[in-house]
């Protein structure tokens, strides 16, 4: 009875929060055009609206509505013009020259003077990229500039970037929100508070942000992009975002029709919404659309190879864990078939270099044999390891725990907050951790950089402290090869080296799953799960 009362209380609290939100937005949103307001919840909250600090998926999706860069991605991850209408790359691969549009204006702000706006010029990119690599700012996106030697405005309409060495994936880096253009006068006026007073060039402009409560964007009447028929984008009048922190409450709001979009599949409601084979249940199929597609995200377990724990240092135990559980079964039970079992390497399906032949399949007898060999060689008769995870992935870790127990390995599962896990992983305080790697840019080098010896954490993303001379030489060689087919062979070889050392346990290659109300059109999907609302309409 108490549980029932608590559930009811949670439900009514969440409903009342949204009701209060709707009332408080009355001044921001015109109620007679409610069908042009796109509403969704961001349970993970936002850290910033400053693109230089936009490093989470949630921050990126918000900043994507407010800012533009030189180039952009379409839903098939093709690189297209944005503020740059065209570009050329020198034969030696060192010089990138961009010709800018002349019809791009910043969102209106009183600091721009009597016209309340001004056009974007090449010097704005000089300022924005200098800001990105300013050591005093310490922006997390500064690494994007690591291979850049210099950049300059040739004139108001031409911007040039010079690299230190050829890097075929560089143009993909420029699609990241880190590289968005920002106006000097606004940034310098607000300083650190630019994070909550953003001015960009995007399809929507900032209206109001009450942190942890709501965020409102309005249509940018000055936006430069048009659709195929010549109609100005975006179609929506406004975007309204709430921040209910509980995924089940978020799902209830969606089921009630209070929000238009759900960008997650959580264990708390997956069986309510989907069948075991990943189809919408009949009760929802009449009111909800499901959009599903590949996601450049590899979920994995990682080993810290400099650990003092013999089991972690042993390739036998690391391989045993890789062989010791059925990934396909795990995906059916834990994800209702959403996602692909990671029986290949670390590079996910959809990127050149992926191979289904270099990973591990379910071989329980092989796992037992490897554990017995470890016992014999070390004299440790009761091997055990501790696996650190967050609560969202507890069910996966407990599944692996049960399966490996059958093979003779004890796994203790330790649940901790995301921030604690991230810190421990970076500082070598955790021997075995659950993590994920989402593509920052569209080249498998992005995934393989995590194994490069010069990227040891905490100063880089090599959380494993893996060092291999052959891997490093191939990694460096890849930068000199512009032919994607030749780079693809190198990428597969590097991935196979990491897998042969079993420095991680790939779990699954994720899928983007989006749910919308039937009246939402034009949302689309993309393999980096970036929210693009330019073409969205509501009937």
């Amino acid at each position: 009875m108490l549980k029932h009362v608590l559930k009811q209380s949670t439900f009514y609290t969440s409903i009342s929060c949204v009701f209060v939100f709707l009332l408080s937005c009355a001044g921001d949103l015109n109620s007679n055009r409610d069908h042009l307001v796109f509403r969704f919840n961001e349970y993970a909250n936002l850290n910033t609206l400053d693109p230089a600090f936009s490093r989470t998926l949630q921050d990126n999706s918000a900043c994507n509505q407010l800012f533009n860069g030189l180039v952009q991605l379409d839903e098939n991850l093709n690189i297209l013009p944005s503020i740059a209408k065209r570009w050329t790359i020198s034969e030696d691969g060192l010089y990138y020259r961009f010709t800018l549009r002349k019809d791009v204006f910043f969102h209106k702000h009183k600091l721009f003077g009597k016209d309340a706006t001004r056009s974007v010029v090449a010097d704005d990119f000089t300022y924005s990229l200098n800001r990105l690599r300013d050591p005093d700012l310490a922006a997390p996106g500064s690494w994007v500039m690591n291979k850049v030697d210099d950049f300059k405005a040739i004139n108001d309409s031409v911007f040039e970037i010079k690299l230190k060495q050829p890097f075929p994936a560089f143009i993909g880096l420029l699609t990241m929100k880190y590289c968005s253009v920002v106006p000097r006068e606004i940034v310098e006026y607000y300083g650190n508070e630019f994070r909550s007073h953003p001015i960009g060039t995007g399809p929507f402009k900032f209206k109001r942000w009450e942190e942890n409560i709501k965020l409102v964007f309005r249509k940018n009447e000055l936006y430069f992009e048009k659709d195929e028929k010549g109609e100005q984008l975006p179609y929506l009048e406004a975007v309204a975002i709430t921040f209910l922190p509980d995924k089940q409450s978020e799902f209830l709001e969606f089921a009630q029709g209070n929000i238009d979009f759900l960008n997650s599949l959580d264990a708390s409601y997956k069986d309510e919404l989907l069948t075991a084979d990943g189809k919408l249940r009949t009760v929802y199929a009449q009111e909800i659309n499901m959009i599903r597609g590949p996601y450049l995200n590899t979920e994995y377990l990682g080993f810290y190879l400099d650990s003092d724990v013999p089991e972690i240092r042993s390739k036998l135990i690391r391989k045993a864990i890789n062989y010791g559980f059925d990934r396909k079964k795990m995906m059916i039970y834990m994800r209702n078939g959403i996602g692909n079992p990671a029986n290949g390497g670390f590079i996910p399906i959809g990127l050149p270099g992926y191979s289904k032949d270099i990973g591990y399949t379910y071989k329980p007898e092989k796992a037992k044999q490897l554990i017995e060999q470890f016992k014999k060689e070390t004299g440790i008769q009761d091997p055990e390891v501790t696996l650190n995870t967050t609560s969202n992935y507890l069910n996966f870790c407990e599944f692996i725990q049960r399966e490996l127990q059958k093979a003779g390995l004890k796994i203790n599962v330790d649940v901790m907050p995301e921030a604690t896990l991230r810190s421990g992983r970076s500082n070598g305080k955790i021997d075995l951790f659950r993590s994920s790697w989402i593509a920052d840019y569209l080249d498998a080098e992005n995934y393989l950089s995590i194994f490069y010896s010069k990227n040891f954490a905490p100063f880089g993303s090599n959380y494993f402290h893996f060092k291999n001379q052959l891997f490093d030489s191939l990694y460096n060689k890849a930068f000199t090869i512009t032919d994607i087919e030749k780079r693809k062979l190198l990428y597969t070889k590097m991935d196979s080296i990491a897998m042969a050392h079993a420095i991680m346990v790939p779990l699954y290659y994720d899928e983007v799953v989006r749910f919308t109300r039937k009246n939402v059109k034009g949302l689309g999907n993309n393999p980096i799960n970036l929210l693009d609302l330019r073409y969205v309409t509501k009937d």
Side-chain angles (χ1 to χ4, degrees):
M1 185 65 170
L2 178 59
K3 287 183 179 178
H4 177 70
V5 171
L6 287 173
K7 284 183 178 179
Q8 272 198 329
S9 175
T10 300
F11 174 77
Y12 287 118
T13 298
S14 63
I15 292 294
S16 64
C17 286
V18 172
F19 181 66
V20 169
F21 166 74
L22 294 176
L23 287 177
S24 63
C25 283
D28 297 326
L29 308 177
N30 190 339
S31 60
N32 65 2
R33 306 197 73 181
D34 187 66
H35 67 286
L36 293 176
V37 179
F38 187 78
R39 306 175 189 275
F40 69 97
N41 184 69
E42 192 55 81
Y43 77 91
N45 219 321
L46 296 179
N47 301 304
T48 185
L49 293 173
D50 182 342
F53 291 84
S54 180
R55 63 179 176 182
T56 69
L57 178 62
Q58 296 76 27
D59 295 342
N60 280 331
S61 286
C63 286
N64 196 45
Q65 317 315 318
L66 301 173
F67 297 95
N68 300 97
L70 291 164
V71 290
Q72 61 184 323
L73 297 171
D74 68 8
E75 63 180 18
N76 297 314
L77 302 187
N78 298 307
I79 298 172
L80 302 179
S82 184
I83 295 178
K85 58 184 178 182
R86 61 180 177 271
W87 63 91
T88 58
I89 305 172
S90 63
E91 287 188 11
D92 60 10
L94 293 178
Y95 290 88
Y96 290 68
R97 178 168 285 201
F98 299 88
T99 302
L100 309 186
R101 300 176 63 127
K102 297 181 180 180
D103 59 347
V104 182
F105 293 87
F106 286 112
H107 301 154
K108 289 186 176 182
H109 194 283
K110 62 183 180 181
L111 288 175
F112 287 128
K114 66 174 185 176
D115 295 326
T117 186
R118 66 169 177 81
S119 61
V120 173
V121 295
D123 264 334
D124 290 312
F125 280 99
T126 303
Y127 172 75
S128 299
L129 297 188
N130 270 325
R131 178 175 182 259
L132 188 60
R133 64 179 183 180
D134 180 357
D136 293 331
L137 189 69
S142 61
W143 63 268
V144 174
M145 296 287 102
N146 285 350
K147 291 182 171 57
V148 173
D149 179 34
D150 196 15
F151 44 80
K152 61 183 177 181
I154 305 299
N155 54 47
D156 281 354
S157 299
V158 179
F159 183 68
E160 185 178 81
I161 300 175
K162 179 187 177 185
L163 302 187
K164 298 174 183 175
Q165 65 183 79
F167 182 41
F170 179 70
I171 194 72
L173 288 183
L174 294 178
T175 67
M176 300 180 69
K177 300 321 295 181
Y178 292 137
C179 300
S180 301
V181 68
V182 295
R184 176 196 294 264
E185 53 266 68
I186 307 297
V187 175
E188 291 183 349
Y189 176 79
Y190 284 111
N192 292 335
E193 292 306 306
F194 183 70
R195 65 175 291 280
S196 55
H197 296 82
I199 294 293
T201 59
F204 297 92
K205 59 187 179 182
F206 175 75
K207 177 65 177 179
R208 184 180 180 189
W209 186 16
E210 293 182 35
E211 295 196 40
N212 306 312
I213 301 174
K214 66 175 177 286
L215 175 63
V216 178
F217 300 148
R218 294 298 301 266
K219 179 176 181 173
N220 175 18
E221 305 88 347
L222 301 176
Y223 193 57
F224 60 94
E225 287 191 299
K226 295 178 171 60
D227 66 14
E228 293 178 350
K229 297 179 181 179
E231 183 178 346
Q232 186 183 28
L233 298 173
Y235 303 132
L236 294 167
E237 285 295 322
V239 179
I241 308 170
T242 52
F243 297 99
L244 292 173
D246 177 63
K247 282 191 175 185
Q248 192 166 24
S249 297
E250 179 183 70
F251 173 68
L252 285 172
E253 295 303 299
F254 179 67
Q256 292 281 325
N258 295 322
I259 56 178
D260 302 305
F261 166 64
L262 191 64
N263 193 28
S264 64
L265 182 66
D266 190 64
S268 64
Y269 59 78
K270 66 179 180 64
D271 294 324
E272 165 74 13
L273 190 57
L274 299 180
T275 61
D277 59 351
K279 301 290 193 304
L280 274 174
R281 292 195 180 276
T282 305
V283 67
Y284 292 106
Q286 300 302 314
E287 298 180 356
I288 293 172
N289 286 325
M290 180 171 69
I291 310 168
R292 179 175 172 181
Y295 187 13
L296 298 183
N297 173 30
T298 300
E299 299 283 341
Y300 69 97
L301 308 182
F303 298 97
Y304 178 60
L305 302 184
D306 283 339
S307 169
D308 294 329
V309 178
E311 290 90 337
I312 298 295
R313 293 200 307 271
S314 171
K315 192 186 298 185
L316 297 171
I317 294 295
R318 300 198 303 267
K319 285 187 173 183
I321 296 175
N322 268 289
Y323 283 123
F325 66 101
D326 188 338
R327 291 166 174 82
K328 184 176 181 180
K329 182 179 176 182
M330 179 183 73
M331 296 308 294
I332 292 171
Y333 289 157
M334 305 299 165
R335 295 268 297 180
N336 293 62
I338 302 296
N340 295 284
N343 294 123
F346 191 60
I347 300 172
I349 297 170
L351 276 184
Y354 163 77
S355 173
K356 62 182 177 58
D357 301 320
I358 62 174
Y360 297 85
T361 55
Y362 180 45
K363 296 181 180 179
E365 293 304 317
K366 178 71 171 177
K368 289 180 183 177
Q369 175 190 335
L370 290 168
I371 292 170
E372 287 302 318
Q373 185 178 345
F374 172 81
K375 291 179 181 179
K376 184 180 296 185
E377 290 181 4
T378 64
I380 299 173
Q381 295 305 306
D382 298 304
E384 66 177 279
V385 296
T386 297
L387 170 56
N388 296 270
T389 185
T390 58
S391 57
N392 288 342
Y393 292 86
L394 178 60
N395 55 344
F396 288 93
C397 295
E398 288 180 337
F399 175 84
I400 296 168
Q401 178 189 47
R402 290 191 297 270
E403 294 300 296
L404 266 298
Q405 188 174 2
K406 299 173 187 176
L409 176 66
K410 181 180 179 181
I411 297 181
N412 305 302
V413 178
D414 186 7
V415 178
M416 57 180 56
E418 176 69 34
T420 305
L421 179 61
R422 191 184 302 119
S423 174
R425 180 191 64 191
S426 296
N427 294 302
K429 304 296 184 183
I430 293 176
D431 296 321
L432 175 58
F433 53 87
R434 193 232 53 96
S435 192
S436 60
W437 191 263
I438 301 173
D440 287 319
Y441 51 94
L442 308 179
D443 192 279
E445 185 273 337
N446 184 203
Y447 281 82
L448 298 170
S449 65
I450 201 171
F451 308 129
Y452 186 50
S453 65
K454 291 186 178 179
N455 289 338
F456 270 23
F459 304 108
S461 54
N462 188 341
Y463 310 119
F464 322 96
H465 280 205
F466 175 65
K467 185 173 185 178
N468 180 275
Q469 187 173 354
L470 176 58
F471 181 95
D472 285 355
S473 66
L474 293 175
Y475 181 82
N476 290 319
K477 182 179 179 181
F479 290 117
T480 67
I481 299 175
T482 56
D483 186 319
I484 185 59
E485 289 302 317
K486 292 180 180 178
R487 281 215 317 280
K488 178 179 173 181
L489 294 175
L490 279 184
Y491 289 160
T492 302
K493 176 64 175 176
M494 283 186 273
D495 204 3
S496 68
I497 292 172
M499 295 308 299
H501 285 80
I503 61 177
M504 101 297 293
V505 182
L507 301 177
Y508 63 93
Y509 311 118
D510 208 353
E511 285 186 286
V512 175
V513 184
R514 294 176 169 181
F515 303 94
T516 68
R517 310 296 304 179
K518 285 285 187 183
N519 65 332
V520 174
K521 311 293 183 185
L523 180 62
N525 206 351
N526 59 77
I528 57 174
N529 201 16
L530 185 66
L531 192 60
D532 182 357
L533 299 179
R534 289 174 298 172
Y535 295 90
V536 171
T537 61
K538 285 176 63 180
D539 296 338

